[in-house]
Amino acid sequence: MKIEKVHITKSAQKLIQDVPALKRAYAEITKSIKSVTWPAGSRKFTINNSEKNINGVVPLKESCYVMLEKNYSWFREKPLKVLKEEKEKGGPIDVYKEFADNSPLALKRVGLEFETGNISSAHRSLNKLLLGQNRKELDLSVIMMPVKALAYYLTDRVTNYEELEPYFENVKRAAFIFIGFDADAYDPSAPIIPKGPDGMSTRSIKKWKDL
Amino acid sequence: MKIEKVHITKSAQKLIQDVPALKRAYAEITKSIKSVTWPAGSRKFTINNSEKNINGVVPLKESCYVMLEKNYSWFREKPLKVLKEEKEKGGPIDVYKEFADNSPLALKRVGLEFETGNISSAHRSLNKLLLGQNRKELDLSVIMMPVKALAYYLTDRVTNYEELEPYFENVKRAAFIFIGFDADAYDPSAPIIPKGPDGMSTRSIKKWKDL
C-alpha cells in the first residue's frame, strides 16, 4: 500500500519534531500501512478494479493492525477512562501504544483508528479521539482511511479521506494525523479481497489491559 | 412532548441571556418540540410502550419541523457555504433561521438538527454544526434527541441524549444547546407511531434558498 495523502495538524507536527518517541510512533504507523500487500505473498498492493465496491476492506485493517501488534507491540481495544469509568458508555480506541523514552514523565500515548465503517462512523472516531486528548488520555491521534479512488472499489460507503477532509479543521488545535492510503496498482485481474472480518486467518488479538 | 434534559454550553447561555433574538430562537424551538402530541388530536404525547423499538421516530421530527416552519418561519435544508461551495461535499443543516433584531449588524443564525439516525450519525451532525460555527456561518447550534427511556420504544438504535452526552464537552467552547425530550405519558394501549418518512401527510417543505 502507499500513503497518498496526509494531513498533520500544527501541534501534531510539533510533537513529531520535538518528541523522538512520537516520531517513532508515526514511523511505525506508516510502515505498518505500507506493509499491507495483496495478494498474499506479493510485494505490493494490487486492487481488483473490475467493478465498484467489489473488494472487502476489513482484511486490510486487520493486516495493518497485526503489523502494529506483532512488530511494534501496539495494543488493541484500549478503553478511555472518561468513557469506560466516568460516562460508562462508548467503545474503546482501536489501537493504542504508550511510548516512554526512558522517562516516566515523558510518557506519550497514541491512539489510532483505521476506518472501515461509513462516514458518520468516522465522525464518531474523530470525536472519541478528540475527547481522549481533551481529557489528557491521549497525546496524539491518528485516523487512517482509503483515498476516494481506492474506496470506489472497496465495500460500499466505506469512509474515504476526501469525505472526512472538510472536518479536519474542527480539530486543528488538537494533535491529529489523517492518513489517506491507496493501492500501489489497479488491475482487473487481481484477486478480489473477501468482505467481512474473516478475510484473513482468525487470531487472538492483543487487547489492552489496565494495570 | 416534554423537555426532560437540557445542556447549554456557557457561550450559548450567554447568547440567550444577552441577545433577545436568540432568546426568542430558543423559545421557538422549545415550543415546537413541546407542541408535538400523539395520537393526533390529543393535547399531550402518549407513547406506546408495549414493546421495545415498536414506534417510528421520523413523524416526531416532521411534526416539530412543521411547527418551526409554519409558526415561526424557519427554513429547511440550509447548506453551509463551507461544505457546498468550498469543499463541494456534505449535506445541509436540517432547520435554520436568521434573526435580525431590526439591525443587519445584529444578524444571528441558528441551526438545528433533530436526530433520528444512529449515534454515529449524531456525531456527524455535531461536527457539521461545529464547523458552521467555526466558519462564522452559525451563531448557535441546537441538537434535539429523545432521552434514553423514550428511545427504547422508538426505532432501533436511534440516538438518545444520554448516548451523545459524553461528547458534549468536545464543543464546550462553542454555542450549543442539547435537548432531550420525553413523552408526557407511557401507555401500552396508545396507537403505534408509524415508521418511515410517510408517517405523517406528505407536504412540500420550505427549503432555504440563497439570495
Side-chain angles (χ1 to χ4, degrees):
Chain A
M1 203 72 86
K2 65 181 176 184
I3 293 176
E4 185 69 19
K5 298 189 174 188
V6 178
H7 177 83
I8 308 183
T9 64
K10 274 185 190 169
S11 56
Q13 192 68 59
K14 192 163 163 26
L15 284 173
I16 294 174
Q17 278 167 4
D18 298 351
V19 183
L22 292 180
K23 185 179 182 177
R24 201 162 70 244
Y26 184 44
E28 290 176 5
I29 290 167
T30 54
K31 277 183 207 162
S32 295
I33 183 65
K34 286 181 187 168
S35 78
V36 178
T37 59
W38 186 263
S42 168
R43 296 196 58 183
K44 62 179 186 173
F45 191 98
T46 306
I47 191 81
N48 181 304
N49 65 341
S50 63
E51 201 178 309
K52 188 182 176 190
N53 303 139
I54 197 170
N55 299 280
V57 62
V58 173
L60 307 186
K61 177 170 78 172
E62 282 305 312
S63 272
C64 179
Y65 285 178
V66 167
M67 183 76 165
L68 285 166
E69 286 174 70
K70 295 205 169 160
N71 289 30
Y72 304 118
S73 302
W74 288 62
F75 286 88
R76 296 284 292 274
E77 302 186 9
K78 167 66 165 72
L80 292 177
K81 283 197 173 66
V82 54
L83 291 176
K84 190 181 177 190
E85 294 169 19
E86 184 185 324
K87 314 280 187 180
E88 295 179 354
K89 54 176 68 77
I93 302 290
D94 266 7
V95 188
Y96 173 86
K97 186 174 174 183
E98 298 187 341
F99 294 80
D101 268 346
N102 302 320
S103 153
L105 286 176
L107 181 71
K108 297 293 173 193
R109 299 138 311 165
V110 184
L112 164 74
E113 301 242 334
F114 185 124
E115 294 304 326
T116 55
N118 64 15
I119 180 66
S120 55
S121 156
H123 279 282
R124 180 171 51 183
S125 294
L126 183 71
N127 289 347
K128 192 194 290 178
L129 291 165
L130 178 62
L131 182 65
Q133 285 194 34
N134 288 343
R135 287 300 194 103
K136 313 288 183 205
E137 294 192 53
L138 292 174
D139 298 286
L140 178 64
S141 303
V142 184
I143 293 184
M144 213 177 268
M145 296 160 284
V147 295
K148 190 176 178 183
L150 175 61
Y152 186 84
Y153 298 106
L154 301 177
T155 309
D156 193 23
R157 298 197 197 186
V158 63
T159 300
N160 65 68
Y161 181 96
E162 290 86 344
E163 201 177 6
L164 190 65
E165 197 173 21
Y167 295 93
F168 293 174
E169 65 184 72
N170 271 5
V171 295
K172 67 182 174 189
R173 285 183 190 82
F176 269 82
I177 301 177
F178 298 94
I179 297 176
F181 58 84
D182 197 358
D184 298 301
Y186 287 68
D187 182 344
S189 67
I192 293 165
I193 303 167
K195 293 186 180 183
D198 302 325
M200 302 244 156
S201 58
T202 53
R203 64 190 184 91
S204 59
I205 63 171
K206 192 175 68 163
K207 280 196 193 182
W208 177 263
K209 281 187 180 56
D210 285 308
L211 300 177
Chain B
M1 203 72 88
K2 65 181 175 184
I3 294 176
E4 185 68 18
K5 298 189 174 188
V6 178
H7 177 82
I8 307 183
T9 64
K10 274 186 192 170
S11 56
Q13 192 68 60
K14 193 165 162 23
L15 284 173
I16 294 173
Q17 279 166 6
D18 298 351
V19 183
L22 292 179
K23 185 177 181 178
R24 201 163 68 242
Y26 184 44
E28 290 176 5
I29 290 166
T30 54
K31 276 183 208 162
S32 295
I33 183 65
K34 286 180 186 168
S35 79
V36 178
T37 59
W38 186 263
S42 168
R43 295 196 59 182
K44 61 178 186 174
F45 190 98
T46 306
I47 191 82
N48 181 306
N49 65 342
S50 63
E51 200 179 311
K52 189 182 176 190
N53 304 141
I54 198 170
N55 299 281
V57 62
V58 174
L60 307 186
K61 176 169 80 173
E62 282 305 311
S63 272
C64 179
Y65 285 179
V66 166
M67 184 76 165
L68 284 167
E69 287 173 71
K70 296 206 170 161
N71 288 30
Y72 303 118
S73 302
W74 289 62
F75 286 88
R76 295 286 290 276
E77 302 185 7
K78 166 66 166 71
L80 292 177
K81 284 197 171 65
V82 55
L83 291 175
K84 190 180 178 189
E85 294 169 19
E86 184 185 323
K87 315 279 187 179
E88 295 179 355
K89 54 174 70 73
I93 303 289
D94 266 6
V95 188
Y96 173 86
K97 186 174 172 182
E98 299 187 340
F99 294 80
D101 268 347
N102 302 320
S103 152
L105 287 177
L107 180 71
K108 298 292 173 192
R109 298 137 311 166
V110 184
L112 164 75
E113 300 243 334
F114 185 123
E115 295 303 326
T116 55
N118 64 14
I119 180 66
S120 56
S121 153
H123 280 282
R124 180 172 50 182
S125 294
L126 184 70
N127 289 347
K128 191 193 292 179
L129 291 165
L130 178 62
L131 182 64
Q133 284 192 35
N134 288 342
R135 287 302 193 101
K136 313 289 183 203
E137 293 191 53
L138 291 174
D139 297 286
L140 178 64
S141 302
V142 183
I143 293 185
M144 213 178 268
M145 295 161 285
V147 295
K148 190 176 178 184
L150 175 62
Y152 186 85
Y153 299 107
L154 301 177
T155 308
D156 194 22
R157 296 194 197 187
V158 64
T159 301
N160 64 68
Y161 181 96
E162 291 86 344
E163 201 176 6
L164 190 65
E165 198 172 19
Y167 295 93
F168 292 175
E169 64 185 71
N170 271 5
V171 295
K172 67 183 174 188
R173 284 183 191 83
F176 269 82
I177 300 177
F178 298 94
I179 297 174
F181 57 85
D182 197 359
D184 297 302
Y186 288 67
D187 182 344
S189 67
I192 294 165
I193 302 167
K195 293 186 179 181
D198 302 325
M200 300 247 159
S201 57
T202 52
R203 64 189 184 89
S204 58
I205 63 172
K206 192 175 67 164
K207 281 197 194 183
W208 177 264
K209 281 187 180 59
D210 285 309
L211 298 178

